[in-house]
Amino acid sequence: MLKNIRIVLVNTSHTGNIGSTARAMKTMGLGELVLVDPVSAPDGKASAMAAGAGDVLGNAKTVATLAEAVQDCGLVVGTSARSRTLPWPMLEPRECGEKLVQEVANYPVALVFGRENSGLSNDELQQCHYHVCIPANPEYSSLNLAAAVQTLCYEIRMAHLNAESYPPVEETYPLVEDLERFYTHLESTLLETGFIVKNHPGQVMTKLRRLFNRARPEAQELNILRGILASIDKTAKGQRRD
């Protein structure tokens, strides 16, 4: 199951951290690494820091955006500090490992790490179902990227070793790409009905994303929501013709 757990690094600055991440992953049995718009491609320094994990590093996939990295995933967890203007559903590291292991049998899942100096942007965090925070020393909470990867990969491995004790996840959740199509449809409908104004959308869509991410509609429920939006669209077009 661990082969479908994806570690995603966003806009990494130091190639050594990419290599160290590959090593941290391999020690815990993970092998799928995706790099989103790295500042520099993996080089000799990355290879040196990877040590015996050259296979993980060599098989790493590079993409342009986070959306591309996680579009086929059914669960995405982003690493974040707790202090955010708009709170998001949070997981503790142990909960994170358990949730990823519980759901990976149904679809690929992803754990996303941000930039060394600034983490993930608000837009990137909004593409995640949950956020996870490592409860480090509040007086010195700065973790090296590879150390953070190692900590959470350890929790994934411990959850994997205890997987038989968790109840199976029977719900069928939509993939990220399906959710994104829903959000695009929702925004289009709300613009069409005048609920939001194109030039002044405010935080309505952000808050709606948070609402639906927190509720986590199942695939069938999402189809119902899409049907409701299609019905509203049809009615709005009919009113315009009248």
Side-chain angles (χ1 to χ4, degrees):
M1 292 193 300
L2 293 178
K3 67 180 182 180
N4 281 329
I5 297 180
R6 186 175 305 167
I7 300 299
V8 181
L9 303 185
V10 176
N11 201 210
T12 311
S13 299
H14 305 292
T15 57
N17 282 334
I18 298 175
S20 295
T21 290
R23 182 176 183 178
M25 291 170 60
K26 187 165 184 177
T27 60
M28 295 299 146
L30 281 73
E32 187 175 359
L33 175 61
V34 177
L35 309 175
V36 176
D37 188 29
V39 174
S40 299
D43 55 12
K45 187 172 182 180
S47 298
M49 296 302 291
D55 55 337
V56 176
L57 183 63
N59 291 325
K61 181 181 178 182
T62 300
V63 297
T65 65
L66 177 58
E68 186 178 352
V70 301
Q71 62 182 352
D72 62 335
C73 293
L75 173 64
V76 181
V77 181
T79 54
S80 170
R82 289 185 180 276
S83 55
R84 290 283 170 178
T85 304
L86 192 62
W88 215 258
M90 292 291 303
L91 297 172
E92 296 296 330
R94 192 139 302 171
E95 292 177 301
C96 174
E98 292 172 357
K99 198 158 196 64
L100 291 168
V101 168
Q102 279 182 294
E103 297 195 24
V104 71
N106 299 330
Y107 33 63
V109 299
L111 180 58
V112 184
F113 296 83
R115 301 155 187 82
E116 291 95 333
N117 60 347
S118 60
L120 295 167
S121 68
N122 286 333
D123 179 66
E124 290 159 349
L125 285 166
Q126 288 168 24
Q127 297 178 55
C128 304
H129 298 97
Y130 297 92
H131 298 167
V132 59
C133 175
I134 298 173
N137 177 6
E139 296 179 3
Y140 187 71
S141 60
S142 178
L143 271 174
N144 172 269
L145 174 59
V149 173
Q150 185 76 81
T151 299
L152 293 177
C153 285
Y154 169 81
E155 294 295 349
I156 290 171
R157 183 157 190 81
M158 291 302 98
H160 171 64
L161 294 176
N162 293 298
E164 292 183 359
S165 64
Y166 308 136
V169 175
E170 298 179 356
E171 297 86 355
T172 302
Y173 292 110
L175 301 181
V176 169
E177 58 187 345
D178 297 320
L179 272 174
E180 288 303 318
R181 280 194 285 267
F182 165 69
Y183 290 133
T184 299
H185 190 175
L186 177 61
E187 183 173 11
S188 172
T189 299
L190 294 180
L191 286 168
E192 181 67 25
T193 60
F195 186 83
I196 58 176
V197 181
K198 186 172 184 178
N199 294 330
H200 302 284
Q203 290 196 12
V204 172
M205 285 307 302
T206 298
K207 290 183 177 180
L208 286 173
R209 275 179 173 268
R210 182 178 64 164
L211 168 64
F212 286 109
N213 275 349
R214 187 169 63 242
R216 263 198 108 185
E218 299 170 17
Q220 189 175 17
E221 293 169 337
L222 192 70
N223 288 337
I224 292 172
L225 291 170
R226 290 292 302 272
I228 292 171
L229 293 176
S231 177
I232 294 172
D233 294 341
K234 183 177 179 180
T235 300
K237 288 178 182 177
Q239 290 176 344
R240 285 201 310 272
R241 285 196 297 269
D242 294 341

